Amino acid sequence: PGIVWLAGVSSMLAQGVASFWFSWMADLVPARVRGRFWGRRQSLVVASSLVATAGAGYLLDAFPSPREPGGTWTGFVIVFAIAATLGVVDIVVHMWVPEPKTKPQEASMNLLNRIIEPMRDRNFRYLTLAMGVCGFAVSLPVLGIIYLKQDFAVTYSQLAVISIAASIGTMIFGYAWGYVMDRIGGRAFAAIMLALAPLTGLAWFFLKDYQTNIIGLFEGIRWIGPGVQGLVALFPGKIETWICDQVLPQPIWIFMFVNIASGALFGGIGLSQFSLLSSLAPQKGGSMAMAVHWSVVGLISSAGAVVAGKLMDFMAANPVNIIMGTGTKFAFQHILVAAMMLIMWFVCLPLILKIRRGKGEPRISEAFSQLMITSPIRVATSIHAMGAPVTRVERAMAARNLGAEQTALAVADLIEKIDDASADVREEAIQALGLIKSPEAINALISRFEDPNTDLAPQIARAFRIAKDPLCVPALLRG
């Protein structure tokens, strides 16, 4: 009981300071790089968590369990000592973060009105409700691990593998999502993630109860099956034998792949929440607004697990004898997943769309088309390379790659590179804008072409020829 109470107090204190921390970050992080900050932070946090989990597991296994004869608590002592030390280091590091002096605000309202006040703001209210309902929906399938153990006899180690797969997806795409979100806005990004993320739930309806290796998993599937066999054959000898010997339950294989996408998409929802909350929370009374948001979201979200448990108990007492096309028995998890998908599409998404579109943000359809025709990771890497302290050859190559992707997400970054110190980078940026040929890109080229002090007229004229936009003709005639 002492450990339970200690864990509860620790969690309460952590949640108690969360609103202050988010309010602090909203003040410190510039709006133009807000998405990038949260994306990088998410990737680093997940990567650190994976390393810490692996390290803690190694340390605990290095000492005999205290429940065994001659066992010891040394492993736990070391792990908790490291955790406590790093916690103190975290506090010390934050003490050195520069912060402008603030004036204490006079409490002009009583406590109840201060709690209610943030929810009177339309955008803040819809964001809070959308994220609360989203948390409720995501909590519904949380008992899936029980379903997998009961119906498919998976092991805890196998469950850990699919959990790690989700973390990898979050870690890899978090970096790219930050760049994307800074360019299409948190509202549009959240809407796209809410539309795509529930699709990963369809995997629960394709599970079968059999053991297989990766070749058997895709065997018989046109195009994919032969491709997997060919890929495995590229590693002859012991590696090929090891790959073929990895026999796992089919659901584990399914979720090893699906959870990478799931981690990326649901992680994107979390990033959009952080970004939107930072921009929509009022500056006056920001800490209270953060506290209200997370309290409401937490209360609504917690109900999801309760509903899931009630449904599981009900179906255990009242079994449904329905066999699906895969040969798997219809279970509580299928109802919960279907409910999650419907709630996210028909409740959360409409609530997010009620948030007013910010100035300069594209429409959802435009943002979706920009995101779908590009490779987010490659675009983010190229944008980062253009602004990083690298050679002119690397910056020019990054600009060329962005032109090849033809993504409007990079237009603002390419426009900045028209003034790069390197002539090669300037020329590649101009040609990339011509390849992208979005209205913003064309207008930027025309504006620079008509500048009497420009020395880039020949390069811009070639970009006009690439773009073949009617708006370029009058500019050429005037030139």
Side-chain angles (χ1 to χ4, degrees):
I3 291 293
V4 174
W5 278 104
L6 185 61
V9 172
S10 175
S11 177
M12 181 179 67
L13 292 174
Q15 294 300 319
V17 300
S19 59
F20 299 109
W21 189 86
F22 278 104
S23 178
W24 188 26
M25 291 301 104
D27 293 336
L28 291 180
V29 181
R32 60 185 176 83
V33 296
R34 187 174 288 139
R36 206 176 314 170
F37 166 79
W38 289 114
R40 289 181 178 179
R41 178 183 179 275
Q42 184 185 73
S43 295
L44 289 172
V45 167
V46 173
S48 301
S49 176
L50 288 175
V51 172
T53 301
Y58 174 81
L59 285 172
L60 293 178
D61 290 339
F63 297 91
S65 171
R67 295 185 178 182
E68 298 176 357
T72 176
W73 292 95
T74 303
F76 290 91
V77 171
I78 295 174
V79 169
F80 279 104
I82 294 174
T85 302
L86 292 177
V88 174
V89 170
D90 174 64
I91 296 172
V92 173
V93 169
H94 277 83
M95 289 176 63
W96 292 99
V97 175
E99 183 181 10
K101 293 183 178 180
T102 57
K103 294 182 179 179
Q105 298 178 352
E106 297 181 2
S108 57
M109 295 182 290
N110 60 41
L111 180 59
L112 179 60
N113 287 333
R114 290 178 63 195
I115 293 174
I116 296 174
E117 184 64 23
M119 297 297 286
R120 289 175 178 155
D121 180 89
R122 168 194 171 95
N123 293 333
F124 184 86
R125 180 172 66 252
Y126 284 129
L127 171 66
T128 300
L129 293 176
M131 291 299 103
V133 176
C134 180
F136 173 87
V138 173
S139 298
L140 290 175
V142 72
L143 299 179
I145 56 175
I146 298 177
Y147 170 62
L148 290 175
K149 284 198 66 65
Q150 287 182 347
D151 289 43
F152 300 95
V154 303
T155 66
Y156 286 110
S157 297
Q158 292 165 351
L159 289 174
V161 168
I162 62 177
S163 177
I164 291 171
S167 298
I168 290 174
T170 302
M171 179 178 61
I172 293 175
F173 280 85
Y175 174 80
W177 287 156
Y179 280 92
V180 172
M181 192 159 45
D182 281 337
R183 283 147 186 83
I184 67 175
R187 173 183 176 271
F189 185 78
I192 294 172
M193 293 295 105
L194 285 169
L196 296 177
L199 291 173
T200 60
L202 293 174
W204 290 96
F205 295 89
F206 292 92
L207 304 184
K208 295 181 181 180
D209 189 11
Y210 71 97
Q211 304 274 329
T212 182
N213 59 17
I214 192 169
I215 295 177
L217 179 69
F218 295 103
E219 190 175 12
I221 302 178
R222 189 178 181 183
W223 304 113
I224 300 178
V228 172
Q229 292 181 13
L231 184 63
V232 173
L234 292 176
F235 306 94
K238 292 183 178 180
I239 296 179
E240 182 179 8
T241 301
W242 181 84
I243 293 175
C244 293
D245 286 344
Q246 302 309 304
V247 177
L248 299 170
Q250 183 258 15
I252 298 300
W253 283 114
I254 293 289
F255 284 116
M256 279 175 61
F257 296 104
V258 171
N259 275 14
I260 293 177
S262 179
L265 296 172
F266 281 98
I269 294 175
L271 285 178
S272 65
Q273 179 183 11
F274 296 153
S275 180
L276 284 170
L277 182 59
S278 298
S279 62
L280 297 180
Q283 291 185 346
K284 184 178 181 180
S287 297
M288 178 59 76
M290 296 286 181
V292 170
H293 173 85
W294 291 111
S295 296
V296 172
V297 169
L299 286 172
I300 299 176
S301 300
S302 62
V306 176
V307 172
K310 293 288 185 182
L311 179 64
M312 179 181 171
D313 292 340
F314 176 81
M315 292 194 67
N318 304 276
V320 178
N321 295 318
I322 298 176
I323 304 298
M324 300 191 300
T326 58
T328 303
K329 186 178 179 181
F330 185 79
F332 67 91
Q333 185 67 5
H334 300 108
I335 297 177
L336 295 172
V337 170
M340 178 271 291
M341 297 171 69
L342 293 174
I343 291 171
M344 291 187 72
W345 280 332
F346 297 104
V347 182
C348 302
L349 183 55
L351 285 172
I352 283 292
L353 294 178
K354 285 183 177 293
I355 297 175
R356 291 190 179 93
R357 183 159 55 99
K359 184 179 180 181
E361 290 185 5
R363 296 182 181 276
I364 302 296
S365 57
E366 297 173 3
F368 184 79
S369 63
Q370 291 177 18
L371 183 59
M372 290 299 102
I373 64 175
T374 64
S375 169
I377 294 179
R378 184 179 180 185
V379 169
T381 303
S382 298
I383 291 175
H384 174 74
M386 282 201 308
V390 296
T391 66
R392 61 181 178 82
V393 175
E394 291 174 303
R395 297 200 307 277
M397 182 59 69
R400 181 180 298 179
N401 290 338
L402 290 171
E405 291 284 344
Q406 296 186 10
T407 172
L409 294 174
V411 168
D413 303 276
L414 289 167
I415 292 174
E416 290 182 2
K417 290 303 162 184
I418 296 179
D419 296 318
D420 193 90
S422 168
D424 293 340
V425 177
R426 294 197 298 269
E427 291 182 12
E428 291 292 351
I430 289 170
Q431 183 170 329
L433 290 170
L435 288 168
I436 294 171
K437 54 192 174 188
S438 68
E440 185 183 2
I442 296 300
N443 289 334
L445 290 175
I446 292 175
S447 175
R448 186 56 62 95
F449 184 77
E450 294 180 338
D451 183 353
N453 298 317
T454 186
D455 59 349
L456 299 170
Q459 293 88 340
I460 297 175
R462 286 195 292 269
F464 285 161
R465 185 171 59 185
I466 295 172
K468 298 179 181 179
D469 191 295
L471 293 176
C472 301
V473 177
L476 285 169
L477 293 176
R478 288 192 297 269

